[in-house]
Amino acid sequence: MKFTKPSWVIHHDVGEKETKKRLSIFSIHVHPDGSRIATGGLDAKIRIWSTKPILNEEAHASGFPTNLSTLTMHTGPVLSVRWAYSGKWLASGSDDAVVMIWDLDPAGSGRVWGTDEVNIEGWKALKRLPGHESDVTDLAWSSDDRYLASVGLDSMVIVWCGLSLQQLIRLESHQGFVKGVCWDPVGEYLATQSDDKTVKIWRTTDWGLEATIDKPFRESPGSTFFRRLSWSPDGAHITASNAMNNKGAVFVAAVIARQTWTSEISLVGHENTVEVAAYNPHIFLRNPEVLKTGGPVATSNICSVVALGADDRTVSVWETKSARPLIVARNVFERQILDLSWSFDGLTLYACSSDGSIAVFDFYPDEIEGIAPTSVQQQYLQKFGFVPPPLPARYQPPPPPPPRHQEEPHAMAVHSQDDGFGAGATMNGNGEVNQLVARRGKKRIKPTFVASLTSPSSQVGSYSHVSYPQPVPPQSTMAGPGHAGSVHLSQGYEQAYDIGGNGIRLPAPPLQNLTAPNAASASIPSGHYVHPHHQQQQAQQVPHEHWLPPYPHVGSPFYVPPPASQTGYVSGAPSAEDGMSGGLPTIDAYGPDGKGKGKRKAGDMDLDMPKGRARTLGGDRVREVGPVRELPLNEGDGGPSLTAGSGTPNFGSMGSRGDVLSVPSVKTYLSVRVETSEDILEGSNFDDGRPTEVLFVSGKQTQWLDYLPSPVIGLAATSVFCAVAMADGSLNVYSHTGRKMMLTVTLTAPISFLEASKAHLMAITASGDMTVWNVKTEKATFAPTSVLPLFVQPKTTIVNVGVRANGAPIINLSSGIAHSYDANLLAWVRISEAWWADGSDAWTGRQRNSNNTASRGIIAILEAGISELNDSDENDHVAEKPQWWNAAKTLGHLEERQSAARLLDSPGEFKHSLLLYAKRIAEEGFRGKAEELVRELFGPVYWRPNKEEKWDPMIVGLLKRDLLKDVLSVFARSKTLAKLGMDWQDVLRRSAVEELP
C-alpha cells in the first residue's frame, strides 16, 4: 500500500494569502473515472483536484496541473460533495441551506473572481435546489442516479428527482439534526441517521417508514459533526457511525442487517466516536475460483470491505469475513476525520479531516483480493427481485431523439453483446468501448462512439446501450521491486509495519490470489494514474465488462439524451489532441501549464479575455472610493437635523417627527461586508448633483448597482439579502443578484440602528420604533414596538444592538442590562444584567482569557460586555451579605440564563446552564427544585415518539429526555439526591425499552 498526504490540497482563507492557513475540509468524493476528486471546505468553496499528481509524485514534480477548478456559488461552508454515478453532475450541500447541482462547462475556464486562482476547466451551477431551512449536512445519489437525497440540521430528509431535479418528497419523522444518508444498492430503501439517536429506513415504493433502529445509538454522543453511514454493495448490511456498546463505554460502528433491521455485530477498536463509514463499491468473493464455472455466486461466497473514520484521527479498513481489521492507520491527521471516499476501481481510499488536509491510501491489487466483476454484482442484486416504481408523469424523461441521418455516422451507438448476466458493458465487435464525450462550446453532453465504426452490429440512431468510464481492473499478481514509502503485502506475510513513521500499521493476514479467466488486456483511462506494477502483463487480466461500474445506460429511463434539434455539436470521434474521455476532458489533455495541448480551437478562450465573464449591471464601470467625509443633509431629503450620537434618547428636544434617537450622519461612502462572505455592499452619496448609488461588489467586480432617491445612511447584508436604509425613512431589500425582494418599506422615521442576521432584518428608527422582519417569508416577527420603555434610568444610552438568526432582537444598554423582545409574551425581557455579577458563581463576565469570541455563546459575550461597562468596585463596599445570598443569586442567574438561551436559540449555552443548575441544586440538596426539573424534562410517562401529544419533546433543538439523562447522572453522583437520580434513571430506562399502552 502506498500512503500519501498531498500538502497542496488545501482550502485556505482568502484574507491570508501569505500564510495560507488551512481551513477544515468537510467532504471529499472521487469522480467515477478516478481522475478527479472534489472537496468542500470551510471557505464556502468546492475545489476539484486532479488525482494524477496525488498518486504519482513524478507527475506533480513535472508541473502537472493540480487544482482544476474552484466553484464559488455557495455562501456558507460546503459540508457535502457527491458526484453522480454517471459522473456527469456534481451535487453539493452547504451551510447556506442550499443544494447545488454543477455541470461541466467546456467554455467556462478562466480566472476566479476576487482571487489569483485560475480554473483550468469550468463547472457551472446547473440548478439551485432550495428547500432546507438550515445546514445541508449530507447528500447521496441512488446507484442509478434516479434520486438524489439531501439531509440537514432542519431535521428534514428531501428526495429530489435525479432527472428533472425537482423535489419529490420531504420526510419529516426525525426529531433531531439529520447528519447522514445512504441508498440501498438494490433501490428498495433509503437510510438516514440523526442526532435523535436513530437510523430510519424508508421505502422507495411509497416513501413510508420501514423501520427505526435506536438500540446501538442510545448512549451515543450528540456532539459529532456528522453521522455518515454506508450501505454494503451486496445490499445485506448498513454500517452506521456513532454507535456505543457497554452502556456508552465503547465506541463502535454498528452493522445493521437487512430485513430484520437489528444490529448484532459491531466494529470495535476506535478510541473515540466514529464519524463516517464508507463501503468499497465492489463486492468481494471469498473463493474467486467460482468465476471459472460461470455459475451464480452464492451468498456464502460474498463479503464486503468497509472503511471507518473517527474522532481519534484513525482510519480502519475491515473485511466482513474477518473479525480483525485489514489495516489500522493511527494518527493520520491532527484532528477528527470527517469523510471517506473509495475510488470506483476499489483500490484507493481518500480521507479528509477538519485539520484541512487529506490522506490517500493506494492499495496494491493483491492486498485487497477477490474483487467481483460488476456484472456478477448486478446479477447478485437481481435476486432481491425489486422493480422500482415508475416516476410520476411530470418527472418522466423526454422521449428519445429521432434517428440520426446516415450522413452523421459518428453519432451512431453500438449494441452490446449480452454476456449472460443482463445489462453490462457496451462493447463493439472489436472490443472497444463507448464513452460520453463533452462537446466543446455546448452545455449538454451526448453519447458518441470513441473508436472505429466497423462493427456490423452498429445501428443508426440506436440509444439502447452506452458504457461509461470504467475504473482500472485490479491485476491478479505482480512482480518487481518495491516502492519507496510503501509496503507490499504478500501471501503469508504476518508482520505489521509502520509506514514512514505515520503510525499506519498493517496487520497482514494471508490473502488469496485471484486468477482471472482468459481475456483481452484491459485498457486504462488516460486520466488515471497507474502503479508501475499495474502495467505489467505477467498475469492474465479480467476483461472490460467485468469492471464497469453500474452506471445508467442510454436506454434506461434515467438517461436524458440531448434534443435532436440542438445544433453545433462537433461530430466525429474526438482526436487524441482533444483529450476528451468519459464525458470529461482527460487530465492528460492539460499540459503542465494547465492549458490544452495541440492546436488552438475556435472555441478556446484566453484565460485573461474579459468576454468570458457574465454581463453584470454596472460591471463595466470603474469603482471610485475616495476619502470619506460627512455631507450636510438637505431639507428636501426628508430627514431630521440630527447628528450621530451614542443612542441617547433626547426627550427634551425632539425633531419634527418626535425623533428621540440619533440618526447616522450622511457620509460620502458606506460599506458593509456580507455575512460569511468576502463580498461587499457599498453606498455612495454625492454633493455634486449625482444620484445616490448602492453597489454589490464581489472581488473587484461590481455585480449590480442601483440608484436611490435619498442619501444612504445605513447598510446591512447577510447570506440571504442586502438592506439599504435612506435618510427619508425608506428601506430597500435586495437579493444578492440585485433583485428587489420586497416593496420599499416606509418607516416612521429614519433609522437609528440597522442590523441583520441570516433571514432576519431589524430596524430601530429615530422615533424609537423597532421592527424585525423575516425577509424570506416577507413577514414581521412581531408587531412594531417601542424601545422607549427601556430607558427608565436617566442618562441611559444604547451601547449596541443586534438580532439573532431566529429574529430575537438584542439591545444592550449602558445601565448594564441587556434586553430582548419576547414575541410570545409581547413584552420586553431582561436576558442579562450586571445584578448577577455580584454573588453568582455562574457569572462568566470575569473570564477574559478567551480571545476568540466566536467560540463563545451569545450570553457569555453579553456578560463579558456588561462586565467591561460596569468594571468598578462599588459593590465591594456593600454590607455583609445575607446567609443565602450566594446560593440564591447563582440559582436565579442560572434560571434566567436558561430562559435567555431558549429565547435567543442558543442550545449549547442552554445545556451548559442546565447542567450547572442541576449540579448546584444537588450540592444544596434542594429536592423540590430537582423533582420539578425532572418532571418537566421527562414529560408524560406514557409519551412515545410519533404519538400526537401536546407535550413538546424538544427544547432549543435538543431532546428533553436526552438532557434529563445528563441531569440524572449529575444527581446520581451527588450525596443528597443520589436516590432520586437512580430511581428516575430506572424509570427513564424502562420507558425507553418497554411497550407501554
PDB file of all heavy atoms in Angstrom, residues 634-657:
ATOM      1  N   ASN A 634     -29.721  67.849   3.133  1.00  0.00           N
ATOM      2  CA  ASN A 634     -30.624  68.862   2.598  1.00  0.00           C
ATOM      3  C   ASN A 634     -32.025  68.691   3.164  1.00  0.00           C
ATOM      4  O   ASN A 634     -32.472  67.589   3.468  1.00  0.00           O
ATOM      5  CB  ASN A 634     -30.672  68.785   1.065  1.00  0.00           C
ATOM      6  CG  ASN A 634     -29.312  69.046   0.439  1.00  0.00           C
ATOM      7  OD1 ASN A 634     -28.538  69.849   0.969  1.00  0.00           O
ATOM      8  ND2 ASN A 634     -29.021  68.362  -0.659  1.00  0.00           N
ATOM      9  N   GLU A 635     -32.711  69.769   3.226  1.00  0.00           N
ATOM     10  CA  GLU A 635     -34.070  69.725   3.773  1.00  0.00           C
ATOM     11  C   GLU A 635     -34.989  68.872   2.905  1.00  0.00           C
ATOM     12  O   GLU A 635     -35.896  68.218   3.386  1.00  0.00           O
ATOM     13  CB  GLU A 635     -34.622  71.163   3.889  1.00  0.00           C
ATOM     14  CG  GLU A 635     -35.965  71.234   4.596  1.00  0.00           C
ATOM     15  CD  GLU A 635     -36.399  72.668   4.808  1.00  0.00           C
ATOM     16  OE1 GLU A 635     -35.556  73.570   4.611  1.00  0.00           O
ATOM     17  OE2 GLU A 635     -37.562  72.874   5.184  1.00  0.00           O
ATOM     18  N   GLY A 636     -34.709  68.827   1.621  1.00  0.00           N
ATOM     19  CA  GLY A 636     -35.542  68.043   0.730  1.00  0.00           C
ATOM     20  C   GLY A 636     -35.349  66.554   0.858  1.00  0.00           C
ATOM     21  O   GLY A 636     -36.118  65.765   0.315  1.00  0.00           O
ATOM     22  N   ASP A 637     -34.308  66.142   1.557  1.00  0.00           N
ATOM     23  CA  ASP A 637     -34.064  64.716   1.709  1.00  0.00           C
ATOM     24  C   ASP A 637     -34.988  64.079   2.720  1.00  0.00           C
ATOM     25  O   ASP A 637     -35.022  62.861   2.850  1.00  0.00           O
ATOM     26  CB  ASP A 637     -32.611  64.463   2.125  1.00  0.00           C
ATOM     27  CG  ASP A 637     -31.652  64.835   1.012  1.00  0.00           C
ATOM     28  OD1 ASP A 637     -32.034  64.654  -0.163  1.00  0.00           O
ATOM     29  OD2 ASP A 637     -30.531  65.287   1.303  1.00  0.00           O
ATOM     30  N   GLY A 638     -35.681  64.855   3.500  1.00  0.00           N
ATOM     31  CA  GLY A 638     -36.703  64.300   4.376  1.00  0.00           C
ATOM     32  C   GLY A 638     -36.228  63.864   5.730  1.00  0.00           C
ATOM     33  O   GLY A 638     -37.014  63.372   6.519  1.00  0.00           O
ATOM     34  N   GLY A 639     -34.982  64.055   6.075  1.00  0.00           N
ATOM     35  CA  GLY A 639     -34.513  63.594   7.371  1.00  0.00           C
ATOM     36  C   GLY A 639     -34.417  64.724   8.355  1.00  0.00           C
ATOM     37  O   GLY A 639     -34.317  65.892   8.000  1.00  0.00           O
ATOM     38  N   PRO A 640     -34.436  64.428   9.650  1.00  0.00           N
ATOM     39  CA  PRO A 640     -34.321  65.459  10.672  1.00  0.00           C
ATOM     40  C   PRO A 640     -32.895  65.957  10.793  1.00  0.00           C
ATOM     41  O   PRO A 640     -31.965  65.304  10.364  1.00  0.00           O
ATOM     42  CB  PRO A 640     -34.765  64.726  11.948  1.00  0.00           C
ATOM     43  CG  PRO A 640     -34.418  63.299  11.684  1.00  0.00           C
ATOM     44  CD  PRO A 640     -34.603  63.096  10.232  1.00  0.00           C
ATOM     45  N   SER A 641     -32.749  67.114  11.360  1.00  0.00           N
ATOM     46  CA  SER A 641     -31.419  67.691  11.536  1.00  0.00           C
ATOM     47  C   SER A 641     -30.811  67.181  12.831  1.00  0.00           C
ATOM     48  O   SER A 641     -30.711  67.890  13.831  1.00  0.00           O
ATOM     49  CB  SER A 641     -31.509  69.223  11.552  1.00  0.00           C
ATOM     50  OG  SER A 641     -32.071  69.693  10.358  1.00  0.00           O
ATOM     51  N   LEU A 642     -30.430  65.928  12.830  1.00  0.00           N
ATOM     52  CA  LEU A 642     -29.817  65.306  13.995  1.00  0.00           C
ATOM     53  C   LEU A 642     -28.449  64.808  13.610  1.00  0.00           C
ATOM     54  O   LEU A 642     -28.191  64.449  12.473  1.00  0.00           O
ATOM     55  CB  LEU A 642     -30.680  64.140  14.512  1.00  0.00           C
ATOM     56  CG  LEU A 642     -32.090  64.499  14.999  1.00  0.00           C
ATOM     57  CD1 LEU A 642     -32.838  63.233  15.381  1.00  0.00           C
ATOM     58  CD2 LEU A 642     -32.015  65.432  16.201  1.00  0.00           C
ATOM     59  N   THR A 643     -27.552  64.757  14.536  1.00  0.00           N
ATOM     60  CA  THR A 643     -26.212  64.257  14.287  1.00  0.00           C
ATOM     61  C   THR A 643     -26.049  62.898  14.930  1.00  0.00           C
ATOM     62  O   THR A 643     -26.804  62.511  15.812  1.00  0.00           O
ATOM     63  CB  THR A 643     -25.155  65.217  14.871  1.00  0.00           C
ATOM     64  OG1 THR A 643     -25.384  65.344  16.277  1.00  0.00           O
ATOM     65  CG2 THR A 643     -25.248  66.574  14.210  1.00  0.00           C
ATOM     66  N   ALA A 644     -25.033  62.183  14.482  1.00  0.00           N
ATOM     67  CA  ALA A 644     -24.788  60.855  15.046  1.00  0.00           C
ATOM     68  C   ALA A 644     -24.407  60.986  16.504  1.00  0.00           C
ATOM     69  O   ALA A 644     -23.679  61.883  16.903  1.00  0.00           O
ATOM     70  CB  ALA A 644     -23.673  60.148  14.272  1.00  0.00           C
ATOM     71  N   GLY A 645     -24.880  60.090  17.295  1.00  0.00           N
ATOM     72  CA  GLY A 645     -24.583  60.105  18.714  1.00  0.00           C
ATOM     73  C   GLY A 645     -24.477  58.722  19.269  1.00  0.00           C
ATOM     74  O   GLY A 645     -24.323  57.758  18.547  1.00  0.00           O
ATOM     75  N   SER A 646     -24.591  58.588  20.562  1.00  0.00           N
ATOM     76  CA  SER A 646     -24.414  57.302  21.228  1.00  0.00           C
ATOM     77  C   SER A 646     -25.705  56.553  21.433  1.00  0.00           C
ATOM     78  O   SER A 646     -25.726  55.519  22.058  1.00  0.00           O
ATOM     79  CB  SER A 646     -23.755  57.521  22.600  1.00  0.00           C
ATOM     80  OG  SER A 646     -24.577  58.357  23.393  1.00  0.00           O
ATOM     81  N   GLY A 647     -26.792  57.066  20.927  1.00  0.00           N
ATOM     82  CA  GLY A 647     -28.058  56.373  21.092  1.00  0.00           C
ATOM     83  C   GLY A 647     -28.812  56.830  22.318  1.00  0.00           C
ATOM     84  O   GLY A 647     -29.664  56.128  22.839  1.00  0.00           O
ATOM     85  N   THR A 648     -28.524  58.038  22.816  1.00  0.00           N
ATOM     86  CA  THR A 648     -29.219  58.552  23.991  1.00  0.00           C
ATOM     87  C   THR A 648     -30.538  59.199  23.596  1.00  0.00           C
ATOM     88  O   THR A 648     -30.560  60.057  22.711  1.00  0.00           O
ATOM     89  CB  THR A 648     -28.349  59.604  24.710  1.00  0.00           C
ATOM     90  OG1 THR A 648     -27.088  59.024  24.990  1.00  0.00           O
ATOM     91  CG2 THR A 648     -29.000  60.067  25.992  1.00  0.00           C
ATOM     92  N   PRO A 649     -31.663  58.824  24.195  1.00  0.00           N
ATOM     93  CA  PRO A 649     -32.937  59.480  23.872  1.00  0.00           C
ATOM     94  C   PRO A 649     -32.904  60.951  24.251  1.00  0.00           C
ATOM     95  O   PRO A 649     -32.416  61.323  25.318  1.00  0.00           O
ATOM     96  CB  PRO A 649     -33.956  58.710  24.723  1.00  0.00           C
ATOM     97  CG  PRO A 649     -33.293  57.421  25.060  1.00  0.00           C
ATOM     98  CD  PRO A 649     -31.832  57.725  25.149  1.00  0.00           C
ATOM     99  N   ASN A 650     -33.402  61.795  23.369  1.00  0.00           N
ATOM    100  CA  ASN A 650     -33.421  63.233  23.599  1.00  0.00           C
ATOM    101  C   ASN A 650     -34.881  63.658  23.741  1.00  0.00           C
ATOM    102  O   ASN A 650     -35.505  64.130  22.804  1.00  0.00           O
ATOM    103  CB  ASN A 650     -32.736  63.944  22.428  1.00  0.00           C
ATOM    104  CG  ASN A 650     -32.637  65.433  22.662  1.00  0.00           C
ATOM    105  OD1 ASN A 650     -32.982  65.934  23.737  1.00  0.00           O
ATOM    106  ND2 ASN A 650     -32.167  66.143  21.650  1.00  0.00           N
ATOM    107  N   PHE A 651     -35.421  63.462  24.964  1.00  0.00           N
ATOM    108  CA  PHE A 651     -36.831  63.750  25.173  1.00  0.00           C
ATOM    109  C   PHE A 651     -37.105  65.251  25.207  1.00  0.00           C
ATOM    110  O   PHE A 651     -38.219  65.696  24.985  1.00  0.00           O
ATOM    111  CB  PHE A 651     -37.318  63.123  26.484  1.00  0.00           C
ATOM    112  CG  PHE A 651     -37.244  61.633  26.473  1.00  0.00           C
ATOM    113  CD1 PHE A 651     -36.217  60.975  27.134  1.00  0.00           C
ATOM    114  CD2 PHE A 651     -38.192  60.878  25.806  1.00  0.00           C
ATOM    115  CE1 PHE A 651     -36.150  59.602  27.129  1.00  0.00           C
ATOM    116  CE2 PHE A 651     -38.126  59.489  25.804  1.00  0.00           C
ATOM    117  CZ  PHE A 651     -37.101  58.852  26.468  1.00  0.00           C
ATOM    118  N   GLY A 652     -36.068  66.031  25.482  1.00  0.00           N
ATOM    119  CA  GLY A 652     -36.299  67.460  25.624  1.00  0.00           C
ATOM    120  C   GLY A 652     -36.403  68.203  24.310  1.00  0.00           C
ATOM    121  O   GLY A 652     -37.105  69.185  24.209  1.00  0.00           O
ATOM    122  N   SER A 653     -35.685  67.733  23.292  1.00  0.00           N
ATOM    123  CA  SER A 653     -35.680  68.468  22.010  1.00  0.00           C
ATOM    124  C   SER A 653     -35.913  67.490  20.871  1.00  0.00           C
ATOM    125  O   SER A 653     -34.988  67.064  20.203  1.00  0.00           O
ATOM    126  CB  SER A 653     -34.328  69.181  21.820  1.00  0.00           C
ATOM    127  OG  SER A 653     -33.273  68.248  21.888  1.00  0.00           O
ATOM    128  N   MET A 654     -37.140  67.108  20.693  1.00  0.00           N
ATOM    129  CA  MET A 654     -37.469  66.171  19.637  1.00  0.00           C
ATOM    130  C   MET A 654     -37.501  66.882  18.299  1.00  0.00           C
ATOM    131  O   MET A 654     -37.742  68.075  18.214  1.00  0.00           O
ATOM    132  CB  MET A 654     -38.840  65.536  19.905  1.00  0.00           C
ATOM    133  CG  MET A 654     -38.890  64.692  21.170  1.00  0.00           C
ATOM    134  SD  MET A 654     -40.478  63.893  21.328  1.00  0.00           S
ATOM    135  CE  MET A 654     -40.253  62.996  22.873  1.00  0.00           C
ATOM    136  N   GLY A 655     -37.271  66.085  17.239  1.00  0.00           N
ATOM    137  CA  GLY A 655     -37.380  66.607  15.898  1.00  0.00           C
ATOM    138  C   GLY A 655     -38.835  66.820  15.534  1.00  0.00           C
ATOM    139  O   GLY A 655     -39.751  66.609  16.308  1.00  0.00           O
ATOM    140  N   SER A 656     -39.042  67.200  14.287  1.00  0.00           N
ATOM    141  CA  SER A 656     -40.403  67.490  13.852  1.00  0.00           C
ATOM    142  C   SER A 656     -41.285  66.256  13.884  1.00  0.00           C
ATOM    143  O   SER A 656     -42.494  66.356  13.938  1.00  0.00           O
ATOM    144  CB  SER A 656     -40.356  68.074  12.435  1.00  0.00           C
ATOM    145  OG  SER A 656     -39.735  67.144  11.549  1.00  0.00           O
ATOM    146  N   ARG A 657     -40.702  65.077  13.841  1.00  0.00           N
ATOM    147  CA  ARG A 657     -41.497  63.853  13.867  1.00  0.00           C
ATOM    148  C   ARG A 657     -41.505  63.205  15.237  1.00  0.00           C
ATOM    149  O   ARG A 657     -41.963  62.083  15.374  1.00  0.00           O
ATOM    150  CB  ARG A 657     -40.936  62.846  12.861  1.00  0.00           C
ATOM    151  CG  ARG A 657     -40.772  63.389  11.455  1.00  0.00           C
ATOM    152  CD  ARG A 657     -40.285  62.291  10.538  1.00  0.00           C
ATOM    153  NE  ARG A 657     -39.890  62.831   9.245  1.00  0.00           N
ATOM    154  CZ  ARG A 657     -39.510  62.079   8.223  1.00  0.00           C
ATOM    155  NH1 ARG A 657     -39.476  60.783   8.336  1.00  0.00           N
ATOM    156  NH2 ARG A 657     -39.168  62.643   7.090  1.00  0.00           N
TER     157      ARG A 657
END
